[in-house]
Amino acid sequence: QVRRLFASCDDTTRRGCRDVAILTMLVRLGMRSGEVAKLSLDDIDWRAGTLVLRHTKGRREDVLPLPVATGKAIAAYLKLERPKTSNRAVFVRHVAPRDQPAGPDLIRKTIRQAFARAGLPYTRSHLLRHTMANRLLAGGSSLKEVADVLRHRSLNTTLIYAKLDSRKLAEVALPWPGSAV
């Protein structure tokens, strides 16, 4: 269902690139809306293939890898759709007041609209972090690896995101010692 969220970036009309870049960062990197909104051009190291998050929930600086697909999505937005501005924010407003960074509300609105286009019910933007955590676990990642990707200090926090799938759990559960089974 995640694939249905992505509208294509159309280089002929120069539309949709911002949405694709935002959604790609949320889904592939597990970023929060506020982190995407506060990302600066200075936070992207194209040569090293990294992003620096300076405005995180934990008030620390985190360095994330910049996957090729994510880098391409950001580059397409910067090249095709980003308004000309001196503002160093990656995502800037396309309507008045121009020259201002896009805020977390605009990021959440973008997500809401993507859900609507895909015919999916929208609950909250954080759902994409939950989806990422579940995809990582389903792919064989450990809870610690998921915690590292989501930048959680505590595994208990990650457990909230990585809800167990009881059907899959039943497939691997061993019989209780001493039971009739």
Side-chain angles (χ1 to χ4, degrees), residues 18-111:
R18 179 175 68 179
D19 295 0
V20 170
I22 289 169
L23 290 166
T24 301
M25 292 169 67
L26 293 164
V27 170
R28 294 185 188 249
L29 298 176
M31 292 174 67
R32 297 172 180 93
S33 302
E35 293 168 344
V36 173
K38 292 177 180 166
L39 193 66
S40 166
L41 294 171
D42 304 317
D43 297 332
I44 303 172
D45 185 337
W46 296 102
R47 291 191 197 286
T50 59
L51 288 175
V52 177
L53 299 182
R54 301 177 199 285
H55 306 282
T56 66
K57 184 177 177 182
R59 293 187 180 92
R60 61 182 191 267
E61 200 170 277
D62 292 320
V63 179
L64 303 179
L66 180 61
V68 172
T70 306
K72 285 182 179 180
I74 295 168
Y77 163 69
L78 295 173
K79 179 181 174 188
L80 300 172
E81 195 176 346
R82 185 175 186 267
K84 300 247 185 277
T85 177
S86 60
N87 195 304
R88 299 297 294 166
V90 171
F91 298 103
V92 293
R93 294 178 51 91
H94 290 201
V95 296
R98 287 180 183 255
D99 242 20
Q100 295 298 310
D105 287 340
L106 182 80
I107 305 302
R108 287 188 285 273
K109 179 181 175 185
T110 300
I111 299 164

Side-chain angles (χ1 to χ4, degrees), residues 20 46 93 161 165 167 171:
V20 170
W46 296 102
R93 294 178 51 91
Y161 284 77
D165 183 335
R167 281 177 285 156
E171 292 173 13

Side-chain angles (χ1 to χ4, degrees), residues 142-155 158:
S142 71
L143 195 58
K144 171 69 170 109
E145 290 168 330
V146 174
D148 290 344
V149 169
L150 294 177
R151 295 166 281 115
H152 288 157
R153 291 182 185 164
S154 166
L155 290 180
T158 308

